[in-house]
Amino acid sequence: MGGLLATDALAKQAQIETGLRVIDVGAGVGGPARRFADRYGAMVTAVELSETLADTAQHLTRLVGLSSKVNVLNASALALPVEDASYDVVVMQHVAMQIAEKDRLFGELARVLAPGGRLALHEIFAGDGELQWPLAWATEPSMSALEPLDAAISRLNGLGLATSPFIDESESGRRFHENIIKRWGSAADAGQSAAGLSPEVLEQRVAASRAMEHNLRVGSLRVGRLLATRPN
């Protein structure tokens, strides 16, 4: 949720700038990683578990001439293949809610963070009340690993990181899904295709957006940015 604007907001909050060593964990096809390199001048490592997505990220990075500034690794967030304290900024967006092994995940993020470094998160958290399903990343509870914001902050503090106030972007996230419903809802209900998506895929996407919009509106989901800093 949020696209390029969310990536830029996270980059500015994390103070990404020329020459900084940045690792993007759960990088997908590498859009944010390339943005950090091209717009902000960082040297970026993009880590992605899916071999298909990692290969696509490498191809796109070569295509735009950023291979010297973005290194793509096909690896797990639970076992990052990099040295301790080797990055000035660690970035993770919309990943934690898919990984049940939270202690191991955040332990790895903290391990690779250099003294004075910043962990910049744009994540989805459990709120109050019952969730409607399906979610954007999970069709049923067994496929999701949501946790409350307070639990994430407590874990980060326990790893020796100081957290800044949470920037709640739940309303902008709700509007994001509302726009999907407005754009494609009628076509999905009619069993039609749209935007190059088959009727089946479109129906699934709109169903997820309807549930996400509801959950963000009533507060059973929260989305936003959280910055944590390792002391010098």
Side-chain angles (χ1 to χ4, degrees), residues 57-134:
Q58 287 180 326
H59 173 72
L60 293 174
T61 299
R62 286 194 299 268
L63 194 65
V64 298
L66 286 172
S67 294
S68 64
K69 299 186 72 175
V70 179
N71 179 34
V72 180
L73 300 178
N74 178 207
S76 171
L78 302 178
L80 297 171
V82 298
E83 298 294 324
D84 294 357
S86 53
Y87 289 92
D88 305 298
V89 178
V90 177
V91 173
M92 191 169 72
Q93 300 192 75
H94 298 348
V95 173
M97 76 281 189
Q98 303 177 66
I99 298 177
E101 300 95 330
K102 294 287 194 295
D103 288 340
R104 188 174 170 190
L105 170 63
F106 283 95
E108 277 293 275
L109 302 182
R111 177 183 67 80
V112 305
L113 194 60
R118 297 170 293 283
L119 168 59
L121 303 173
H122 184 217
E123 290 290 342
I124 301 173
F125 300 96
D128 298 321
E130 185 175 350
L131 288 170
Q132 282 193 7
W133 299 83

Side-chain angles (χ1 to χ4, degrees), residues 110 154-163 228-231:
S154 177
R155 182 178 293 104
L156 292 169
N157 294 159
L159 290 165
L161 306 181
T163 50
T229 305
R230 178 177 291 288

Side-chain angles (χ1 to χ4, degrees), residues 154-211:
S154 177
R155 182 178 293 104
L156 292 169
N157 294 159
L159 290 165
L161 306 181
T163 50
S164 300
F166 178 65
I167 299 176
D168 196 315
E169 297 180 323
S170 299
E171 175 56 22
S172 62
R174 187 201 66 77
R175 291 196 300 270
F176 172 85
H177 287 286
E178 182 180 53
N179 287 335
I180 290 176
I181 297 164
K182 288 178 178 177
R183 189 180 308 132
W184 296 329
S186 295
D189 292 341
Q192 300 171 351
S193 60
L197 301 175
S198 69
E200 295 78 11
V201 172
L202 189 69
E203 182 181 6
Q204 292 167 5
R205 183 161 184 181
V206 170
S209 282
R210 282 173 170 152

